[in-house]
Amino acid sequence: MVDKPPRLRRLLVSSPAPRFQQTRFQRRIAQVSSSLEAWATNPWRRLSLLLIVLLVAMVVGGGLGTITGALAYFDPIAALVCVLLMELAVRLRPGLLAGRQDRLVLQLVDMARIGLLWGLMLDGFKLL
């Protein structure tokens, strides 16, 4: 069997994708989750962060329901967006559960999902 020439061998071997320059901004974005988890090791900080996310998502859900209800022709689109966001959050759960030991991101996603649903339901009950 004849061996392939070195030039052809180099072309056939897949080269790694070109790495882009690592800027300070990219490094900071990559460190956000680990620094947030380190900050939230204190149980009171974690609880306050989860409560803030829950309440902000509740306000967003209530505002979304109020605004789309006032415009009246965005109701189906807003309902579709809300269902897609909640379904995406549910589909992210297994990947986040299989991940790291500290589950802060999973808890934040759950609180946002619960708050959004809570805000939409509260706005719906105001209309009854």
Side-chain angles (χ1 to χ4, degrees), residues 57-113:
M58 189 184 116
V59 169
V60 167
L64 187 65
T66 302
I67 291 169
T68 57
L71 295 178
Y73 56 88
F74 280 139
D75 284 343
I77 296 171
L80 178 69
V81 167
C82 289
V83 168
L84 288 177
L85 285 175
M86 288 187 201
E87 188 65 28
L88 179 68
V90 169
R91 302 243 177 196
L92 284 175
R93 278 186 62 82
L96 293 173
L97 279 171
R100 300 158 287 177
Q101 297 291 51
D102 194 15
R103 300 218 166 99
L104 179 65
V105 176
L106 176 66
Q107 291 172 345
L108 290 174
V109 168
D110 283 343
M111 286 296 131
R113 182 172 50 93

Short mmCIF file of all heavy atoms in Angstrom, two decimals, residues 57-113:
data_model
loop_
_atom_site.label_atom_id
_atom_site.label_comp_id
_atom_site.label_asym_id
_atom_site.label_seq_id
_atom_site.Cartn_x
_atom_site.Cartn_y
_atom_site.Cartn_z
N ALA A 57 -39.45 38.42 37.53
CA ALA A 57 -40.17 37.63 36.53
C ALA A 57 -41.68 37.78 36.71
O ALA A 57 -42.43 37.79 35.73
CB ALA A 57 -39.78 36.17 36.62
N MET A 58 -42.14 37.92 37.96
CA MET A 58 -43.56 38.14 38.19
C MET A 58 -44.01 39.48 37.61
O MET A 58 -45.07 39.58 36.99
CB MET A 58 -43.86 38.10 39.68
CG MET A 58 -45.32 38.09 39.98
SD MET A 58 -45.61 38.16 41.72
CE MET A 58 -46.44 39.72 41.85
N VAL A 59 -43.20 40.51 37.80
CA VAL A 59 -43.53 41.83 37.25
C VAL A 59 -43.53 41.78 35.72
O VAL A 59 -44.41 42.36 35.07
CB VAL A 59 -42.55 42.90 37.78
CG1 VAL A 59 -42.68 44.20 37.03
CG2 VAL A 59 -42.77 43.11 39.26
N VAL A 60 -42.56 41.07 35.15
CA VAL A 60 -42.51 40.94 33.69
C VAL A 60 -43.75 40.20 33.18
O VAL A 60 -44.36 40.60 32.18
CB VAL A 60 -41.21 40.23 33.25
CG1 VAL A 60 -41.27 39.81 31.79
CG2 VAL A 60 -40.02 41.13 33.49
N GLY A 61 -44.14 39.11 33.86
CA GLY A 61 -45.33 38.37 33.45
C GLY A 61 -46.59 39.22 33.55
O GLY A 61 -47.43 39.19 32.66
N GLY A 62 -46.72 39.98 34.65
CA GLY A 62 -47.88 40.85 34.79
C GLY A 62 -47.89 41.96 33.76
O GLY A 62 -48.94 42.28 33.19
N GLY A 63 -46.75 42.54 33.51
CA GLY A 63 -46.66 43.60 32.50
C GLY A 63 -46.92 43.08 31.10
O GLY A 63 -47.59 43.74 30.30
N LEU A 64 -46.43 41.89 30.81
CA LEU A 64 -46.65 41.29 29.50
C LEU A 64 -48.14 41.02 29.29
O LEU A 64 -48.69 41.31 28.22
CB LEU A 64 -45.85 40.00 29.38
CG LEU A 64 -45.82 39.31 28.05
CD1 LEU A 64 -45.11 40.18 27.04
CD2 LEU A 64 -45.14 37.98 28.16
N GLY A 65 -48.79 40.49 30.32
CA GLY A 65 -50.23 40.24 30.20
C GLY A 65 -51.02 41.52 30.06
O GLY A 65 -51.99 41.59 29.29
N THR A 66 -50.64 42.55 30.80
CA THR A 66 -51.37 43.82 30.75
C THR A 66 -51.19 44.51 29.40
O THR A 66 -52.16 44.98 28.80
CB THR A 66 -50.89 44.74 31.88
OG1 THR A 66 -51.09 44.09 33.12
CG2 THR A 66 -51.63 46.06 31.86
N ILE A 67 -49.98 44.57 28.92
CA ILE A 67 -49.70 45.26 27.66
C ILE A 67 -50.35 44.55 26.49
O ILE A 67 -50.99 45.17 25.64
CB ILE A 67 -48.18 45.42 27.45
CG1 ILE A 67 -47.63 46.41 28.47
CG2 ILE A 67 -47.87 45.88 26.04
CD1 ILE A 67 -46.13 46.45 28.54
N THR A 68 -50.20 43.23 26.43
CA THR A 68 -50.80 42.51 25.30
C THR A 68 -52.32 42.49 25.40
O THR A 68 -53.00 42.45 24.38
CB THR A 68 -50.27 41.07 25.21
OG1 THR A 68 -50.54 40.40 26.44
CG2 THR A 68 -48.80 41.05 24.91
N GLY A 69 -52.86 42.53 26.63
CA GLY A 69 -54.31 42.62 26.78
C GLY A 69 -54.84 43.95 26.31
O GLY A 69 -55.94 44.04 25.75
N ALA A 70 -54.08 45.01 26.53
CA ALA A 70 -54.53 46.34 26.10
C ALA A 70 -54.45 46.49 24.58
O ALA A 70 -55.29 47.16 23.98
CB ALA A 70 -53.69 47.42 26.77
N LEU A 71 -53.46 45.86 23.97
CA LEU A 71 -53.33 45.97 22.51
C LEU A 71 -54.27 45.02 21.78
O LEU A 71 -54.56 45.24 20.60
CB LEU A 71 -51.88 45.69 22.10
CG LEU A 71 -50.86 46.72 22.59
CD1 LEU A 71 -49.46 46.31 22.18
CD2 LEU A 71 -51.19 48.10 22.07
N ALA A 72 -54.69 43.96 22.41
CA ALA A 72 -55.71 43.01 21.95
C ALA A 72 -55.34 42.20 20.71
O ALA A 72 -55.84 41.12 20.54
CB ALA A 72 -57.05 43.70 21.72
N TYR A 73 -54.49 42.67 19.83
CA TYR A 73 -54.17 41.85 18.66
C TYR A 73 -52.85 41.13 18.82
O TYR A 73 -52.44 40.38 17.95
CB TYR A 73 -54.18 42.67 17.37
CG TYR A 73 -53.28 43.88 17.36
CD1 TYR A 73 -51.96 43.77 16.98
CD2 TYR A 73 -53.76 45.11 17.74
CE1 TYR A 73 -51.15 44.88 16.96
CE2 TYR A 73 -52.94 46.22 17.73
CZ TYR A 73 -51.63 46.09 17.34
OH TYR A 73 -50.80 47.17 17.33
N PHE A 74 -52.14 41.32 19.95
CA PHE A 74 -50.91 40.59 20.20
C PHE A 74 -51.11 39.41 21.15
O PHE A 74 -50.16 38.76 21.53
CB PHE A 74 -49.85 41.51 20.80
CG PHE A 74 -49.15 42.37 19.80
CD1 PHE A 74 -48.88 43.69 20.10
CD2 PHE A 74 -48.76 41.88 18.58
CE1 PHE A 74 -48.22 44.50 19.19
CE2 PHE A 74 -48.12 42.67 17.67
CZ PHE A 74 -47.85 43.99 17.97
N ASP A 75 -52.34 39.15 21.55
CA ASP A 75 -52.59 38.09 22.53
C ASP A 75 -52.07 36.72 22.08
O ASP A 75 -51.36 36.06 22.84
CB ASP A 75 -54.08 38.00 22.86
CG ASP A 75 -54.52 39.11 23.78
OD1 ASP A 75 -53.66 39.74 24.42
OD2 ASP A 75 -55.74 39.35 23.87
N PRO A 76 -52.37 36.24 20.88
CA PRO A 76 -51.87 34.92 20.49
C PRO A 76 -50.35 34.87 20.39
O PRO A 76 -49.73 33.88 20.77
CB PRO A 76 -52.50 34.67 19.12
CG PRO A 76 -53.63 35.62 19.02
CD PRO A 76 -53.28 36.78 19.87
N ILE A 77 -49.75 35.95 19.91
CA ILE A 77 -48.29 35.97 19.78
C ILE A 77 -47.63 35.98 21.15
O ILE A 77 -46.66 35.26 21.40
CB ILE A 77 -47.85 37.19 18.94
CG1 ILE A 77 -48.39 37.05 17.52
CG2 ILE A 77 -46.33 37.33 18.94
CD1 ILE A 77 -48.21 38.28 16.68
N ALA A 78 -48.16 36.77 22.08
CA ALA A 78 -47.61 36.82 23.43
C ALA A 78 -47.79 35.48 24.14
O ALA A 78 -46.88 35.03 24.85
CB ALA A 78 -48.27 37.93 24.23
N ALA A 79 -48.93 34.84 23.93
CA ALA A 79 -49.15 33.53 24.54
C ALA A 79 -48.16 32.51 23.97
O ALA A 79 -47.59 31.69 24.72
CB ALA A 79 -50.58 33.07 24.30
N LEU A 80 -47.90 32.57 22.67
CA LEU A 80 -46.94 31.66 22.05
C LEU A 80 -45.54 31.90 22.59
O LEU A 80 -44.81 30.95 22.89
CB LEU A 80 -46.97 31.83 20.53
CG LEU A 80 -45.97 30.99 19.75
CD1 LEU A 80 -46.36 29.51 19.83
CD2 LEU A 80 -45.91 31.44 18.31
N VAL A 81 -45.15 33.15 22.73
CA VAL A 81 -43.82 33.48 23.26
C VAL A 81 -43.68 32.98 24.70
O VAL A 81 -42.65 32.40 25.07
CB VAL A 81 -43.55 34.99 23.15
CG1 VAL A 81 -42.34 35.40 23.96
CG2 VAL A 81 -43.39 35.39 21.70
N CYS A 82 -44.70 33.19 25.51
CA CYS A 82 -44.64 32.73 26.91
C CYS A 82 -44.56 31.22 26.99
O CYS A 82 -43.77 30.68 27.78
CB CYS A 82 -45.86 33.23 27.68
SG CYS A 82 -45.82 34.99 27.98
N VAL A 83 -45.34 30.52 26.18
CA VAL A 83 -45.30 29.06 26.19
C VAL A 83 -43.94 28.57 25.71
O VAL A 83 -43.36 27.64 26.29
CB VAL A 83 -46.44 28.48 25.32
CG1 VAL A 83 -46.24 27.00 25.06
CG2 VAL A 83 -47.77 28.73 25.99
N LEU A 84 -43.38 29.20 24.70
CA LEU A 84 -42.06 28.80 24.20
C LEU A 84 -40.97 29.05 25.24
O LEU A 84 -40.07 28.22 25.42
CB LEU A 84 -41.73 29.54 22.90
CG LEU A 84 -42.51 29.08 21.67
CD1 LEU A 84 -42.15 29.95 20.47
CD2 LEU A 84 -42.25 27.63 21.37
N LEU A 85 -41.03 30.18 25.95
CA LEU A 85 -40.05 30.47 26.98
C LEU A 85 -40.13 29.46 28.12
O LEU A 85 -39.10 28.97 28.61
CB LEU A 85 -40.24 31.88 27.53
CG LEU A 85 -39.76 33.02 26.65
CD1 LEU A 85 -40.14 34.36 27.28
CD2 LEU A 85 -38.26 32.94 26.45
N MET A 86 -41.34 29.14 28.53
CA MET A 86 -41.48 28.17 29.62
C MET A 86 -41.09 26.77 29.17
O MET A 86 -40.48 26.02 29.94
CB MET A 86 -42.91 28.20 30.15
CG MET A 86 -43.19 29.44 30.93
SD MET A 86 -44.78 29.35 31.70
CE MET A 86 -45.08 31.08 31.97
N GLU A 87 -41.40 26.41 27.96
CA GLU A 87 -41.00 25.10 27.45
C GLU A 87 -39.49 25.01 27.31
O GLU A 87 -38.89 23.97 27.60
CB GLU A 87 -41.69 24.85 26.10
CG GLU A 87 -41.50 23.46 25.56
CD GLU A 87 -42.13 22.38 26.40
OE1 GLU A 87 -43.13 22.65 27.09
OE2 GLU A 87 -41.61 21.25 26.36
N LEU A 88 -38.86 26.08 26.89
CA LEU A 88 -37.40 26.10 26.80
C LEU A 88 -36.77 25.95 28.18
O LEU A 88 -35.79 25.22 28.34
CB LEU A 88 -36.94 27.41 26.15
CG LEU A 88 -35.44 27.60 26.01
CD1 LEU A 88 -34.88 26.60 25.01
CD2 LEU A 88 -35.13 29.01 25.58
N ALA A 89 -37.35 26.60 29.17
CA ALA A 89 -36.84 26.48 30.54
C ALA A 89 -36.99 25.06 31.06
O ALA A 89 -36.10 24.55 31.75
CB ALA A 89 -37.55 27.47 31.46
N VAL A 90 -38.09 24.41 30.72
CA VAL A 90 -38.29 23.02 31.16
C VAL A 90 -37.31 22.10 30.44
O VAL A 90 -36.76 21.16 31.03
CB VAL A 90 -39.75 22.60 30.92
CG1 VAL A 90 -39.94 21.11 31.10
CG2 VAL A 90 -40.66 23.36 31.85
N ARG A 91 -37.06 22.36 29.18
CA ARG A 91 -36.13 21.51 28.41
C ARG A 91 -34.68 21.71 28.82
O ARG A 91 -33.85 20.84 28.59
CB ARG A 91 -36.28 21.78 26.92
CG ARG A 91 -37.67 21.54 26.43
CD ARG A 91 -37.73 20.48 25.45
NE ARG A 91 -39.12 20.28 25.08
CZ ARG A 91 -39.52 19.22 24.48
NH1 ARG A 91 -38.66 18.30 24.19
NH2 ARG A 91 -40.78 19.06 24.17
N LEU A 92 -34.35 22.85 29.41
CA LEU A 92 -32.99 23.09 29.88
C LEU A 92 -32.69 22.36 31.19
O LEU A 92 -31.53 22.18 31.53
CB LEU A 92 -32.76 24.59 30.09
CG LEU A 92 -32.56 25.44 28.86
CD1 LEU A 92 -32.48 26.91 29.25
CD2 LEU A 92 -31.31 25.02 28.13
N ARG A 93 -33.71 21.97 31.92
CA ARG A 93 -33.53 21.35 33.24
C ARG A 93 -32.62 20.12 33.24
O ARG A 93 -31.72 20.04 34.06
CB ARG A 93 -34.87 21.00 33.85
CG ARG A 93 -35.54 22.16 34.52
CD ARG A 93 -36.78 21.73 35.25
NE ARG A 93 -36.54 20.79 36.31
CZ ARG A 93 -36.14 21.10 37.54
NH1 ARG A 93 -35.93 22.35 37.84
NH2 ARG A 93 -35.95 20.18 38.44
N PRO A 94 -32.82 19.13 32.37
CA PRO A 94 -31.95 17.93 32.44
C PRO A 94 -30.48 18.24 32.22
O PRO A 94 -29.61 17.68 32.87
CB PRO A 94 -32.49 17.01 31.34
CG PRO A 94 -33.87 17.46 31.10
CD PRO A 94 -33.89 18.92 31.39
N GLY A 95 -30.20 19.16 31.31
CA GLY A 95 -28.81 19.54 31.08
C GLY A 95 -28.19 20.25 32.27
O GLY A 95 -27.02 20.06 32.59
N LEU A 96 -28.99 21.06 32.94
CA LEU A 96 -28.49 21.76 34.11
C LEU A 96 -28.39 20.83 35.32
O LEU A 96 -27.53 21.02 36.18
CB LEU A 96 -29.39 22.95 34.44
CG LEU A 96 -29.39 24.08 33.41
CD1 LEU A 96 -30.44 25.11 33.76
CD2 LEU A 96 -28.02 24.72 33.33
N LEU A 97 -29.26 19.83 35.41
CA LEU A 97 -29.18 18.87 36.50
C LEU A 97 -27.95 17.99 36.39
O LEU A 97 -27.36 17.61 37.40
CB LEU A 97 -30.43 18.00 36.53
CG LEU A 97 -31.65 18.60 37.20
CD1 LEU A 97 -32.86 17.71 36.96
CD2 LEU A 97 -31.42 18.80 38.66
N ALA A 98 -27.57 17.64 35.16
CA ALA A 98 -26.42 16.76 34.95
C ALA A 98 -25.10 17.51 35.10
O ALA A 98 -24.05 16.90 35.13
CB ALA A 98 -26.49 16.14 33.57
N GLY A 99 -25.17 18.81 35.21
CA GLY A 99 -23.96 19.63 35.24
C GLY A 99 -23.26 19.64 36.58
O GLY A 99 -23.11 18.62 37.26
N ARG A 100 -22.87 20.80 36.98
CA ARG A 100 -22.05 20.99 38.17
C ARG A 100 -22.80 20.69 39.45
O ARG A 100 -24.00 20.50 39.47
CB ARG A 100 -21.55 22.43 38.20
CG ARG A 100 -20.70 22.78 37.01
CD ARG A 100 -20.69 24.24 36.83
NE ARG A 100 -22.01 24.57 36.31
CZ ARG A 100 -22.43 25.75 36.07
NH1 ARG A 100 -21.67 26.76 36.29
NH2 ARG A 100 -23.63 25.98 35.59
N GLN A 101 -22.05 20.68 40.55
CA GLN A 101 -22.64 20.43 41.86
C GLN A 101 -23.50 21.59 42.31
O GLN A 101 -24.56 21.39 42.86
CB GLN A 101 -21.54 20.18 42.89
CG GLN A 101 -20.70 18.96 42.59
CD GLN A 101 -21.49 17.69 42.77
OE1 GLN A 101 -22.58 17.53 42.23
NE2 GLN A 101 -20.94 16.77 43.51
N ASP A 102 -23.04 22.80 42.13
CA ASP A 102 -23.79 23.97 42.56
C ASP A 102 -24.85 24.26 41.52
O ASP A 102 -24.54 24.50 40.36
CB ASP A 102 -22.86 25.17 42.75
CG ASP A 102 -23.55 26.28 43.50
OD1 ASP A 102 -24.60 26.02 44.11
OD2 ASP A 102 -23.03 27.41 43.49
N ARG A 103 -26.09 24.26 41.90
CA ARG A 103 -27.20 24.36 40.95
C ARG A 103 -27.85 25.74 40.98
O ARG A 103 -29.07 25.85 40.89
CB ARG A 103 -28.21 23.28 41.27
CG ARG A 103 -27.58 21.91 41.16
CD ARG A 103 -28.53 20.93 40.57
NE ARG A 103 -27.83 19.73 40.17
CZ ARG A 103 -27.80 18.63 40.88
NH1 ARG A 103 -28.41 18.57 42.01
NH2 ARG A 103 -27.15 17.57 40.43
N LEU A 104 -27.06 26.77 41.11
CA LEU A 104 -27.61 28.12 41.17
C LEU A 104 -28.31 28.50 39.87
O LEU A 104 -29.41 29.07 39.90
CB LEU A 104 -26.51 29.13 41.51
CG LEU A 104 -26.96 30.59 41.58
CD1 LEU A 104 -27.92 30.76 42.74
CD2 LEU A 104 -25.78 31.50 41.71
N VAL A 105 -27.73 28.17 38.75
CA VAL A 105 -28.32 28.52 37.45
C VAL A 105 -29.67 27.82 37.28
O VAL A 105 -30.65 28.42 36.82
CB VAL A 105 -27.36 28.16 36.30
CG1 VAL A 105 -27.99 28.43 34.96
CG2 VAL A 105 -26.06 28.93 36.44
N LEU A 106 -29.74 26.56 37.69
CA LEU A 106 -30.99 25.82 37.62
C LEU A 106 -32.05 26.46 38.50
O LEU A 106 -33.20 26.62 38.09
CB LEU A 106 -30.76 24.37 38.04
CG LEU A 106 -32.00 23.49 38.12
CD1 LEU A 106 -32.60 23.29 36.74
CD2 LEU A 106 -31.67 22.18 38.76
N GLN A 107 -31.67 26.86 39.69
CA GLN A 107 -32.63 27.50 40.59
C GLN A 107 -33.08 28.85 40.04
O GLN A 107 -34.25 29.22 40.17
CB GLN A 107 -32.01 27.67 41.98
CG GLN A 107 -31.82 26.37 42.70
CD GLN A 107 -31.04 26.52 43.99
OE1 GLN A 107 -30.40 27.54 44.22
NE2 GLN A 107 -31.09 25.50 44.82
N LEU A 108 -32.17 29.59 39.42
CA LEU A 108 -32.55 30.88 38.83
C LEU A 108 -33.52 30.70 37.67
O LEU A 108 -34.49 31.46 37.54
CB LEU A 108 -31.30 31.64 38.38
CG LEU A 108 -30.40 32.18 39.48
CD1 LEU A 108 -29.13 32.77 38.88
CD2 LEU A 108 -31.11 33.20 40.32
N VAL A 109 -33.28 29.71 36.82
CA VAL A 109 -34.19 29.44 35.71
C VAL A 109 -35.56 29.02 36.23
O VAL A 109 -36.60 29.46 35.72
CB VAL A 109 -33.58 28.36 34.76
CG1 VAL A 109 -34.61 27.86 33.76
CG2 VAL A 109 -32.38 28.91 34.04
N ASP A 110 -35.57 28.18 37.27
CA ASP A 110 -36.84 27.75 37.86
C ASP A 110 -37.60 28.93 38.46
O ASP A 110 -38.82 29.05 38.29
CB ASP A 110 -36.62 26.69 38.92
CG ASP A 110 -36.34 25.33 38.32
OD1 ASP A 110 -36.64 25.13 37.13
OD2 ASP A 110 -35.83 24.46 39.06
N MET A 111 -36.90 29.80 39.16
CA MET A 111 -37.56 30.95 39.77
C MET A 111 -38.12 31.89 38.70
O MET A 111 -39.21 32.45 38.85
CB MET A 111 -36.61 31.73 40.68
CG MET A 111 -36.32 31.06 41.98
SD MET A 111 -37.80 30.93 42.98
CE MET A 111 -37.73 29.24 43.42
N ALA A 112 -37.38 32.07 37.61
CA ALA A 112 -37.86 32.92 36.52
C ALA A 112 -39.10 32.32 35.88
O ALA A 112 -40.08 33.02 35.58
CB ALA A 112 -36.76 33.13 35.49
N ARG A 113 -39.10 31.01 35.69
CA ARG A 113 -40.25 30.34 35.09
C ARG A 113 -41.47 30.43 36.00
O ARG A 113 -42.58 30.75 35.55
CB ARG A 113 -39.89 28.88 34.83
CG ARG A 113 -40.95 28.07 34.18
CD ARG A 113 -40.44 26.70 33.79
NE ARG A 113 -39.76 26.01 34.86
CZ ARG A 113 -40.36 25.16 35.70
NH1 ARG A 113 -41.64 24.93 35.58
NH2 ARG A 113 -39.67 24.54 36.63
#
